[in-house]
Amino acid sequence: MVKLHELLTAIEVQKTIDDQDIEISGLSYHSGKVKDGHLFVCIKGYKTDGHKYLSQAISNGAVACVVEDVQEGLEIPQIVVKNSRIALARLAAEFYGKPSEKMNMIGITATNGKTTTSFMTNAILEEEGYRTGLIGTVSIKIDDFAIPSELTTPESLDLQFYLGQMVDKDVSHVTMEVSSNALETHRVEAVDYDIVTLNNISREHIDSHGSFEKYFEVKSGLIRHASEKSFAILNLDDEYSTSLIDQTKAQVITFGLDSKDGHIACKNLDLTTGRAKFTIEILKPFSRYETKIEPGEFKIELSVPGLHSVYNAMVAITIGLLCGVPVSSIQKGLKNFGGVERRFEFIFEEDIKIVDDHFANAGNIDVTLQTLKYMEYKDLHLVYAIRGERGPTVNRENAEAIVKWAKTLGFNEIIATKSVSHVTSKDYVTDEETAVFEEVMTEAGIQVALYDELDDAIEQALTHAEPGDVVILAGAQGMDYGAGVALQQIAKMRPNLSREKLFFPLRNRVAGLTKEQRQMLGRSDG
């Protein structure tokens, strides 16, 4: 319980109220979750307005409310604010005792790689024996306890609740994915960061923000608004990340694979197997508190494939160094890290290799296909799930990104699918999206074998794949079930293979498993 006037010190109140000694037992922004003694915060959302649910909140026990617009005829005090989302974030942090100030908070943003970088970072910190928290697309981890995520970055009230639980569990380091929507809707408004990172930016979520320029403005806010006591890790190989070097009060640490002008560089990169081995060079000294990192070098070996994994690892390595993790623990943590699903994930490695990748946008496609340039294989069979309900612009850019690599990688045909039976209505591929994809391919002289169904498209690739070939299951939501479909087809084509070994890569899958596959893997979820 806390007095209302104590909470109100955290926000700017437009209109004062008389009764500020009310006892507040909790906060709510959803009227259905209001309990006796709650302060209800009215959020103006995309689909509805919390002001409409005030009567329900009061009948459920709300004793005061935060509003942007004063409501007539209410019997409880109304606290008027300019922006209720900002108010909710700050009130939540105050209610839970400002938990982010009590831990090492690491905020990671990028168009591509947030999840993998977060998991890599967590693996390094855990290897050193730290009690860790992890918040992101896949799950929310509080020391040794985890729950599935609903949003990449939770709503501010939920976020502060989870951070409060982490403090109670003596968590010392928290790694959090920070989405552009979370930044724009002020979910992370009251988070006190120690380290922030921006690895890359490409044209994703344009429709959500109106334009790429607006998207970058929102995304870069994590860096631009970082405090002088924090550290910002920036990628010199990305022009947008580089442009932020002098746009922040944070102490900047830079890295690059191509660039050798930063604090950290990469050399002797070997990607012939798809899994990287390389040497990290510390070119310039840097320090945080008592931790001093001097020039030198050390070797890294990754168990996860892909060139993009090297970039993600360099961010995680830098975070580890700033957190005082010894090189030996960084090496071991990354070597033992098994990866995140559908991020250039090898799901079959025998006479042929099958790679599963979410191919969400042009930037992601570039990095994924660039990895293949380093790999040794005979022929490439690309099965691409057209991205549904993302509009012609995103699909044209995705198609152009694929075309750009066609000559380099030596392919002049592509297998495409609408994944009709494997997507929901919000991911259904429109005729316009199909047309723009085919138009780009036709102009480039690339033949398209288009299938309505995912199963048929994958069967086409597997039927024609020969020893030494690589099959890529590429696409976002439309390809979520691709790995399961492919392995099911291989099981029929090669009945002598151990099914336990064959389906092992799917054991920890969150998305894209059928009920039968979950039962076969002994999974009770879903």
Side-chain angles (χ1 to χ4, degrees):
M1 300 286 282
V2 62
K3 295 284 189 182
L4 179 58
H5 69 81
E6 294 172 357
L7 281 179
L8 295 184
T9 60
I11 64 173
E12 295 180 12
V13 178
Q14 301 275 300
K15 183 177 178 182
T16 58
I17 60 171
D18 297 327
D19 192 0
Q20 296 192 17
D21 285 329
I22 300 172
E23 292 276 2
I24 301 298
S25 64
L27 306 176
S28 297
Y29 61 90
H30 188 297
S31 59
K33 296 182 179 180
V34 173
K35 296 181 180 178
D36 286 340
H38 272 205
L39 172 64
F40 180 66
V41 182
C42 299
I43 300 293
K44 289 185 176 181
Y46 295 116
K47 295 182 178 179
T48 189
D49 184 346
H51 293 79
K52 296 178 180 179
Y53 301 94
L54 264 169
S55 359
Q56 183 182 343
I58 294 169
S59 51
N60 285 344
V63 293
C65 59
V66 173
V67 299
E68 291 184 15
D69 306 316
V70 176
Q71 306 296 300
E72 298 296 330
L74 293 189
E75 297 177 355
I76 62 171
Q78 300 181 59
I79 299 109
V80 184
V81 298
K82 185 177 180 180
N83 187 314
S84 57
R85 285 191 177 276
I86 294 175
L88 177 64
R90 294 178 180 174
L91 288 167
E94 188 70 28
F95 184 82
Y96 289 109
K98 299 179 180 177
S100 65
E101 296 181 7
K102 301 170 184 176
M103 300 176 288
N104 282 276
M105 285 297 305
I106 302 158
I108 294 175
T109 199
T111 301
N112 302 303
K114 293 188 296 296
T115 302
T116 301
T117 305
S118 298
F119 273 77
M120 281 182 166
T121 300
N122 185 73
I124 288 171
L125 297 172
E126 280 191 336
E127 183 62 41
E128 184 55 18
Y130 293 136
R131 286 191 174 183
T132 66
L134 185 62
I135 298 173
T137 304
V138 176
S139 64
I140 295 165
K141 172 187 170 296
I142 303 171
D143 191 19
D144 56 358
F145 171 76
I147 58 173
S149 296
E150 293 183 10
L151 296 169
T152 296
T153 312
E155 184 55 77
S156 59
L157 177 58
D158 307 312
L159 173 61
Q160 295 296 335
F161 169 74
Y162 294 133
L163 293 177
Q165 286 191 319
M166 291 178 189
V167 170
D168 293 342
K169 280 275 200 174
D170 294 325
V171 165
S172 60
H173 293 73
V174 182
T175 308
M176 180 170 70
E177 292 181 54
V178 185
S179 68
S180 56
N181 283 330
L183 288 161
E184 187 167 51
T185 57
H186 305 286
R187 293 181 216 155
V188 293
E189 175 77 20
V191 175
D192 184 58
Y193 297 105
D194 295 278
I195 299 171
V196 292
T197 80
L198 189 149
N199 196 343
N200 57 70
I201 287 284
S202 60
R203 297 176 68 87
E204 174 68 306
H205 306 299
I206 300 170
D207 292 339
S208 301
H209 299 284
S211 67
F212 175 75
E213 290 72 25
K214 178 62 176 176
Y215 170 56
F216 176 60
E217 179 188 343
V218 170
K219 198 82 161 170
S220 63
L222 181 67
I223 307 299
R224 290 185 290 103
H225 300 146
S227 72
E228 60 276 357
K229 73 174 182 64
S230 65
F231 285 77
I233 301 171
L234 300 175
N235 178 7
L236 292 179
D237 293 347
D238 183 279
E239 62 177 313
Y240 295 103
S241 184
T242 303
S243 71
L244 299 171
I245 288 175
D246 58 358
Q247 300 293 313
T248 180
K249 295 178 182 177
Q251 301 173 65
V252 174
I253 307 295
T254 54
F255 74 93
L257 269 70
D258 299 328
S259 173
K260 306 297 180 186
D261 296 329
H263 295 82
I264 297 176
C266 169
K267 70 176 185 179
N268 302 329
L269 176 61
D270 179 359
L271 263 171
T272 53
T273 67
R275 293 179 171 87
K277 296 179 182 179
F278 55 95
T279 299
I280 284 287
E281 292 183 285
I282 310 295
L283 300 174
K284 301 175 185 178
F286 56 96
S287 61
R288 179 181 178 228
Y289 305 138
E290 295 81 24
T291 301
K292 294 184 179 180
I293 296 93
E294 300 291 348
E297 60 182 50
F298 54 90
K299 294 182 178 179
I300 292 291
E301 186 174 344
L302 301 181
S303 294
V304 290
L307 178 64
H308 58 289
S309 293
V310 180
Y311 279 102
N312 296 336
M314 291 189 76
V315 175
I317 289 165
T318 308
I319 294 170
L321 292 171
L322 287 171
C323 290
V325 179
V327 168
S328 58
S329 292
I330 291 174
Q331 291 170 318
K332 190 173 180 181
L334 288 177
K335 174 65 177 172
N336 293 336
F337 173 66
V340 181
E341 67 183 63
R342 305 218 58 226
R343 271 62 174 182
F344 206 93
E345 180 184 10
F346 282 123
I347 62 163
F348 188 77
E349 294 181 86
E350 295 209 5
D351 55 329
I352 65 171
K353 288 184 178 179
I354 303 178
V355 178
D356 190 14
D357 191 278
H358 69 314
F359 253 49
N361 53 62
N364 173 238
I365 292 169
D366 275 343
V367 174
T368 298
L369 294 183
Q370 188 176 9
T371 297
L372 290 174
K373 187 176 73 169
Y374 293 88
M375 288 177 62
E376 295 178 351
Y377 61 89
K378 284 175 60 181
D379 290 322
L380 175 67
H381 306 269
L382 178 57
V383 186
Y384 177 66
I386 299 171
R387 193 132 198 226
E389 294 297 331
R390 296 309 189 276
T393 303
V394 167
N395 277 283
R396 180 178 293 279
E397 289 172 349
N398 284 5
E400 289 172 346
I402 293 171
V403 164
K404 183 173 69 175
W405 285 99
K407 187 175 181 180
T408 302
L409 298 177
F411 66 90
N412 59 9
E413 58 184 35
I414 183 172
I415 302 167
T417 177
K418 298 180 183 180
S419 309
V420 173
S421 299
H422 288 88
V423 293
T424 61
S425 58
K426 65 185 180 68
D427 297 307
Y428 191 83
V429 179
T430 65
D431 291 341
E432 187 179 20
E433 289 165 335
T434 303
V436 76
F437 177 81
E438 292 186 299
E439 176 190 324
V440 173
M441 294 299 157
T442 300
E443 289 175 356
I446 295 175
Q447 184 177 346
V448 177
L450 177 64
Y451 292 88
D452 284 342
E453 296 297 346
L454 180 63
D455 300 56
D456 296 333
I458 292 174
E459 183 180 7
Q460 169 77 358
L462 295 181
T463 301
H464 289 85
E466 297 182 353
D469 289 359
V470 170
V471 175
I472 292 194
L473 308 177
Q477 291 80 5
M479 191 56 79
D480 275 346
Y481 285 86
V485 169
L487 295 182
Q488 203 79 47
Q489 291 185 5
I490 287 179
K492 292 178 181 178
M493 295 164 66
R494 308 182 186 192
N496 294 329
L497 284 178
S498 161
R499 290 175 68 83
E500 182 180 358
K501 180 182 177 182
L502 180 62
F503 287 94
F504 185 75
L506 304 183
R507 68 198 182 281
N508 295 319
R509 281 276 170 134
V510 174
L513 290 184
T514 65
K515 184 178 180 180
E516 292 75 17
Q517 287 167 345
R518 291 181 186 278
Q519 290 172 345
M520 180 182 62
L521 293 165
R523 297 265 295 272
S524 58
D525 55 325

